Amino acid sequence: MKNISSILIVLILLVFSSLGSGLVLQAQESMYYVQTSSPQYSILPGSQFVEPLNTGLTIPIAILLNFTNYSSLNSELLYVISSGHYLTPLKFREYYYPSQSYVNSLENYLEGYGFVPTGNYGLILTFNATVGEIEQAFHTYINVYYYPFKDIYWFGKVGEKRVGPFYYFTNNVTPSLPYGVGKYVLGIVGIDNLDPHAYQGLRQAWNVPMTEGKGSSSSGLISSAIFTPNTIQQYFNFSSLYAQGKTGSGSTIAIEGVPECYVNTTDIYSFWRLFNIPRTGSFNVITLGNDTSGGQSGENELDAEYSGAFAPGANIAIVFSDGYVGGKALVGNLLNYYYEYYYMANYLNPDVVSISVSLPESYLAAYYPAMLYMIHNIMVQLSVQGTSVLAASGDWGFESNHPPPNFHIGVYNTIWYPESDPLVTSVGGIFLNATSTGQIYSFSGWDYSTGGNSVVFPVQIYELTSLIPFTPITVRTYPDIAFVSAGGYNIPEFGFGLPLIFDGQLFVWYGTSGAAPMTAAMVSLVGQRLGPLNYALYHISYSGEVVTPHGIIKGLSAWIPVTSGNNPMPAHYGWNYVTGPGTYDAYGMVMDLGMYAEYI
């Protein structure tokens, strides 16, 4: 296992050095250049200069702060992966957050130019300032541009369709600060207003018009037989775990909320009652801010209903940041999306995080790298604290280019983030075939499960040393595991046969956003913190050998290879772009993960 440990050091450094092209910002002639806010990211190719922006205009901005002591953090991440000795949130902040004296010096510098502070959100500082004050403080210029095309491109391919043409403003010189006050500035939000125009923000993994489930349908899309949670639990061997008292008791599953939204908790409790779920864990909704203009989130009701059903003893918490960071003026820049992760890491410290609300990785890499790095930093913090993060892979086929006919989102040529983060486990989908009475008789890879290749992250150590046949070794790829995402009796793969209670009624759904909370629930049944899960998953073989950092042990045959289905890349024995390594027997996987944790 010494070879694995040595390769691990190299690969973790590769992750951080690949991000370092944007993170390790230069000090030149005592100036610090904020490269993530460079015009190469903020000016869309083909844009036309119109005029300078009015220097007297007041605009809201946010300063994004980086971690400190990155070399030490690399070593800490390696240590916790191999030892299981995790940091507390308090210790993490003490070691790796900028000091209060540094924050004060940055605030004093900006206030000296006339900036008015409006909020301090940990690693986000918000201000109001005029365009002229911003230009002077950051040694840049802000202009108005016209984008004359209808589509947005990234990496030479169509990314988002039918969003232009439009006017926007942005800086045309890379912002800079004196090194002493700028050295931990990761990015600046608000000196351009491209993001809300070019991309509305979040794409939910499941957002099709909900279909009311009341039996057969002339459309042929609604299954006359509905899969109950109990049917799925029995088929995939969750029930054997419950019989042994493994219910997730004492564990906490945190759910990423759709910002500016809310849930009706009555729906969630009604679902558990309808399907006789013996809930013993707590359920909480944490709401920060008061902007609920996004409406009721069926996505998050689904997350809570299924995570709570499959881990009946676990504590479930949904976190909403509803316009909390910077108020309504800064909604649309993903600050609240980020802050929900920040809140989880610093105030909840959950065992598991379940995510069904995603961002296009290619969009972030091409136009908003500061937010990608901010979220990645929180994934590092969660990992060092022992939290396992799972995210729905997406519902639009290979690289999002093959969506269901009833769910087009207009985004192409990308996989999704944070699913693609090396420290996150991406959950793909399988399709269940039902009998007329609602029993499962077979399954296949779901044809709309998203898989693909990262444009940001290099190949990872767990991929290079994977025990799963045919694991790619070029770049970071996903999915990493798969579970139930659709199914029914005599319906197509874009049909509906899985139940949800929303707005007081029974609806049916499809999507990997169900697979993520069910798999997060499975992880919570292990009963101990596991940290970044991929280091374990890829070191569990199909025959049950479990390779730990300290030796090889014999476990159970937990993986179930999926050999049919396509997205349109074919599912086959071994790793594939539909299901990753495959789906799982819950009893075997929980036992193997538990053994892995005991040997680190």
Side-chain angles (χ1 to χ4, degrees):
M1 300 316 300
K2 291 183 178 179
N3 286 339
I4 288 182
S5 297
S6 62
I7 297 173
L8 182 58
I9 294 173
V10 174
L11 265 293
I12 288 177
L13 291 175
L14 269 177
V15 170
F16 283 93
S17 63
S18 69
L19 296 179
S21 60
L23 283 173
V24 184
L25 309 177
Q26 303 172 21
Q28 182 179 347
E29 298 178 351
S30 74
M31 297 301 291
Y32 179 92
Y33 292 84
V34 187
Q35 301 288 3
T36 58
S37 295
S38 165
Q40 76 179 87
Y41 300 116
S42 60
I43 298 180
L44 285 169
S47 295
Q48 301 167 4
F49 170 81
V50 177
E51 63 183 6
L53 190 62
N54 182 350
T55 57
L57 177 68
T58 297
I59 58 177
I61 70 165
I63 308 300
L64 312 181
L65 299 181
N66 202 357
F67 289 159
T68 64
N69 304 318
Y70 252 97
S71 60
S72 170
L73 185 53
N74 292 341
S75 300
E76 186 67 38
L77 182 59
L78 170 63
Y79 175 69
V80 300
I81 288 170
S82 61
S83 71
H85 296 156
Y86 304 114
L87 292 184
T88 65
L90 180 62
K91 283 296 182 184
F92 189 95
R93 291 194 299 272
E94 178 184 336
Y95 295 158
Y96 301 113
Y97 275 35
S99 66
Q100 187 59 51
S101 62
Y102 168 78
V103 173
N104 292 342
S105 70
L106 176 59
E107 290 176 329
N108 291 338
Y109 172 83
L110 295 175
E111 289 174 31
Y113 282 90
F115 285 49
V116 178
T118 58
N120 183 325
Y121 306 92
L123 295 173
I124 300 176
L125 307 176
T126 60
F127 301 86
N128 286 332
T130 68
V131 171
E133 291 164 347
I134 293 168
E135 290 179 336
Q136 291 181 44
F138 292 109
H139 310 99
T140 189
Y141 300 97
I142 302 177
N143 298 320
V144 178
Y145 295 88
Y146 176 68
Y147 184 71
F149 308 110
K150 65 178 182 178
D151 299 334
I152 300 291
Y153 292 78
W154 42 61
F155 302 101
K157 300 177 180 178
V158 173
E160 187 172 10
K161 291 185 175 182
R162 295 179 291 278
V163 294
F166 53 80
Y167 290 89
Y168 66 100
F169 65 79
T170 190
N171 57 298
N172 70 344
V173 175
T174 299
S176 61
L177 294 159
Y179 185 79
V181 297
K183 61 184 177 180
Y184 298 129
V185 174
L186 192 153
I188 308 167
V189 175
I191 58 173
D192 68 84
N193 68 341
L194 167 63
D195 300 314
H197 285 80
Y199 193 73
Q200 298 98 305
L202 305 169
R203 295 292 186 185
Q204 299 176 50
W206 173 80
N207 199 28
V208 295
M210 287 182 295
T211 305
E212 197 167 348
K214 292 187 176 178
S216 61
S217 169
S218 59
S219 70
L221 294 181
I222 304 177
S223 174
S224 59
I226 302 298
F227 288 117
T228 68
N230 181 259
T231 299
I232 299 170
Q233 290 164 358
Q234 290 185 357
Y235 189 86
F236 289 97
N237 216 7
F238 281 81
S239 300
S240 297
L241 292 162
Y242 306 149
Q244 293 188 6
K246 294 183 180 296
T247 65
S249 178
S251 297
T252 296
I253 301 172
I255 295 169
E256 172 83 0
V258 182
E260 289 75 60
C261 288
Y262 64 93
V263 293
N264 181 350
T265 58
T266 301
D267 289 340
I268 297 164
Y269 287 113
S270 295
F271 180 89
W272 294 334
R273 285 194 299 270
L274 176 64
F275 294 107
N276 299 311
I277 305 300
R279 286 284 304 160
T280 58
S282 65
F283 172 54
N284 292 290
V285 178
I286 298 161
T287 302
L288 308 166
N290 54 17
D291 178 2
T292 56
S293 56
Q296 187 173 341
S297 173
E299 172 69 71
N300 292 133
E301 293 190 12
L302 168 65
D303 294 338
E305 288 172 9
Y306 275 81
S307 60
F310 280 71
N315 303 318
I316 310 296
I318 308 175
V319 180
F320 288 106
S321 185
D322 290 340
Y324 177 70
V325 180
K328 289 186 178 182
L330 284 169
V331 166
N333 289 290
L334 306 181
L335 299 175
N336 287 288
Y337 179 75
Y338 160 83
Y339 193 78
E340 291 173 356
Y341 294 121
Y342 174 92
Y343 185 94
M344 292 176 189
N346 286 285
Y347 300 105
L348 293 183
N349 197 23
D351 300 88
V352 188
V353 170
S354 179
I355 303 168
S356 301
V357 187
S358 303
L359 305 166
E361 184 199 65
S362 294
Y363 161 74
L364 293 173
Y367 299 117
Y368 202 177
M371 185 52 64
L372 187 149
Y373 302 152
M374 285 288 282
I375 297 172
H376 175 72
N377 277 354
I378 293 297
M379 296 305 140
V380 173
Q381 180 174 352
L382 287 165
S383 295
V384 170
Q385 292 171 189
T387 298
S388 301
V389 182
L390 297 93
S393 74
D395 303 342
W396 307 287
F398 180 72
E399 306 244 318
S400 305
N401 292 328
H402 305 277
N406 54 352
F407 191 13
H408 287 267
I409 59 171
V411 176
Y412 302 90
N413 294 302
T414 189
I415 57 175
W416 297 80
Y417 190 80
E419 291 88 322
S420 66
D421 195 290
L423 301 173
V424 174
T425 297
S426 172
V427 187
I430 60 173
F431 181 90
L432 303 181
N433 293 294
T435 66
S436 59
T437 59
Q439 300 304 303
I440 302 168
Y441 74 84
S442 68
F443 61 85
S444 58
W446 186 44
D447 288 351
Y448 303 105
S449 173
T450 295
N453 305 300
S454 174
V455 297
V456 176
F457 298 100
V459 64
Q460 299 298 301
I461 177 56
Y462 50 76
E463 295 169 315
L464 287 175
T465 59
S466 171
L467 302 182
I468 306 300
F470 311 122
T471 300
I473 55 172
T474 52
V475 295
R476 160 73 170 138
T477 54
Y478 81 48
D480 305 303
I481 197 169
F483 203 58
V484 178
S485 297
Y489 172 67
N490 197 28
I491 59 170
E493 299 220 351
F494 54 90
F496 306 91
L498 297 162
L500 159 77
I501 289 183
F502 176 79
D503 205 20
Q505 301 180 70
L506 181 66
F507 288 84
V508 284
W509 59 273
Y510 67 65
T512 55
S513 53
M518 285 187 268
T519 303
M522 180 274 290
V523 174
S524 78
L525 302 182
V526 176
Q528 53 189 310
R529 302 179 81 85
L530 297 171
L533 202 60
N534 292 345
Y535 294 89
L537 292 178
Y538 283 89
H539 292 132
I540 298 173
S541 75
Y542 284 158
S543 58
E545 284 78 22
V546 181
V547 177
T548 78
H550 304 292
I552 301 174
I553 54 179
K554 179 61 179 174
L556 304 178
S557 297
W559 284 114
I560 306 174
V562 179
T563 58
S564 61
N566 60 84
N567 69 353
M569 302 293 282
H572 55 76
Y573 180 85
W575 195 98
N576 59 79
Y577 284 106
V578 184
T579 65
T583 191
Y584 55 89
D585 174 281
Y587 182 86
M589 189 61 77
V590 166
M591 293 301 165
D592 285 353
L593 290 173
M595 285 187 281
Y596 183 93
E598 290 175 5
Y599 277 79
I600 61 174

